[in-house]
Amino acid sequence: MTLPPAPQDTPDPQDAPDPQAAPGAQGAPGAQGRPAPRRRARHRGPVMLRGGEPDPGTVGTTTDQRLLDKRGPSDWVHTDPWRVLRIQSEFVEGFGLLAELPRAVSVFGSARTPADHPHYAAGVAIGAALAQAGYAVITGGGPGAMEAANRGACEAGGLSVGLGIELPFEQELNEWVDVGISFRYFFVRKTMFVKYAQAFVILPGGFGTLDELFEALTLLQTRKVTRFPVILFGTDYWSGLLDWIHRTMAATGTISPADLELLTVTDDVGAVVAAIQAADAGRVQGEGGGGMRAPVGPSDA
């Protein structure tokens, strides 16, 4: 009995040697005349690898496994590229939280103002008046004058916002804050104070309060913001600073006479609200603002 011939394997066209391939290439005879082994491809996320790994320690592992199996070194958390991502995330969080705020006013003042001080009572009155006029009140979220403004807005039924900051000593957002967020970086926090406010009201305060005051004045002087009232509350407290600005800065020409119009000073809560509402009306009508009556040349800041 004659057996049928054994079936022959049909060659796979992909296994055929490439006539253009150099000797020793995949599927082509090697130096000893033997076919070179086909190289196995491995995938690491979007990366394809054949042959050696850039890091031999990762052979036989997956990205998930390396992420979850061990913590690894942590010094990369303190490098500038990682800080850039953290800064970006703070801007994203701040913009996302505050983008839908109603019209708002940022109120500044000393964290050291005691609750039985007239400056605290003024903060409560200002916060309440702004809320009754339809403005949200934004503060640094701390104690003292900031708490007073938040309290006034909250008790008057308005929206009370606190933008805290990470400090070496513990400081929680005060209990009168309705919507709050804390930042690691001062410059991110400062952007939120300006971007989401129609005005600054400055109660008596220290270095931090002066920092916010002069940053606002610089933005106005350089026309980075316009139609943005900066209102100092408490003529007795601010009189020495204002005298120095007039008699020293303006007198020596380091600021221009028009720059003196950037500030409003008052002891009247009603005047605070009226100045902000007037600026709002001018903004709607398309007028210039920020104390500048007409376009000016390069700033002398």
Side-chain angles (χ1 to χ4, degrees):
M1 182 176 189
T2 304
L3 297 175
Q8 301 295 317
D9 289 339
T10 303
D12 187 340
Q14 293 184 351
D15 291 336
D18 183 355
Q20 303 296 324
Q26 177 179 329
Q32 305 301 320
R34 295 188 301 273
R38 297 182 64 183
R39 294 189 300 163
R40 176 171 160 268
R42 299 180 312 286
H43 294 273
R44 194 177 66 195
V47 177
M48 187 275 292
L49 295 168
R50 286 195 179 105
E53 292 267 2
D55 179 4
T58 63
V59 175
T61 66
T62 66
T63 304
D64 273 348
Q65 180 184 347
R66 293 192 296 275
L67 172 68
L68 301 173
D69 264 2
K70 59 182 180 180
R71 294 180 60 178
S74 61
D75 54 345
W76 55 271
V77 174
H78 306 293
T79 61
D80 284 343
W82 185 254
R83 288 191 181 101
V84 169
L85 295 176
R86 185 181 292 145
I87 290 165
Q88 177 182 332
S89 73
E90 289 210 352
F91 277 112
V92 170
E93 289 289 343
F95 291 162
L97 177 67
L98 304 174
E100 296 180 346
L101 277 185
R103 296 178 306 161
V105 174
S106 291
V107 181
F108 302 96
S110 175
R112 304 180 185 187
T113 302
D116 58 354
H117 196 283
H119 293 164
Y120 188 99
V124 173
I126 289 170
L130 290 170
Q132 290 162 0
Y135 294 96
V137 172
I138 303 173
T139 77
M146 293 175 281
E147 175 189 298
N150 286 134
R151 177 177 180 174
C154 186
E155 290 182 336
L159 183 61
S160 173
V161 182
L163 309 182
I165 186 69
E166 179 183 277
L167 295 172
F169 46 88
E170 193 68 24
Q171 180 173 296
E172 297 288 338
L173 294 176
N174 69 68
E175 63 177 327
W176 300 102
V177 170
D178 298 319
V179 176
I181 183 172
S182 291
F183 297 95
R184 289 185 176 92
Y185 300 100
F186 268 113
F187 56 86
V188 179
R189 181 184 186 230
K190 287 181 176 183
T191 299
M192 306 301 158
F193 279 134
V194 175
K195 181 174 175 60
Y196 295 105
Q198 274 66 51
F200 277 9
V201 177
I202 316 289
L203 289 158
F207 288 152
T209 303
L210 292 175
D211 179 36
E212 301 294 352
L213 166 62
F214 283 106
E215 173 150 359
L217 293 176
T218 301
L219 292 172
L220 286 165
Q221 186 192 54
T222 56
R223 297 188 64 79
K224 297 294 185 181
V225 296
T226 60
R227 187 55 68 179
F228 191 94
V230 177
I231 303 166
L232 297 177
F233 192 88
T235 54
D236 286 345
Y237 185 86
W238 296 112
S239 60
L241 174 63
L242 294 171
D243 185 65
W244 178 76
I245 290 174
H246 281 78
R247 294 178 180 273
T248 301
M249 297 181 75
T252 57
T254 54
I255 61 172
S256 68
D259 292 332
L260 299 174
E261 300 179 28
L262 299 175
L263 283 164
T264 298
V265 190
T266 185
D267 293 310
D268 182 4
V269 173
V272 170
V273 176
I276 295 168
Q277 290 174 328
D280 271 349
R283 190 181 297 113
V284 171
Q285 296 168 10
E287 298 176 3
M292 304 294 188
R293 299 295 179 253
V296 294
S299 170
D300 59 356

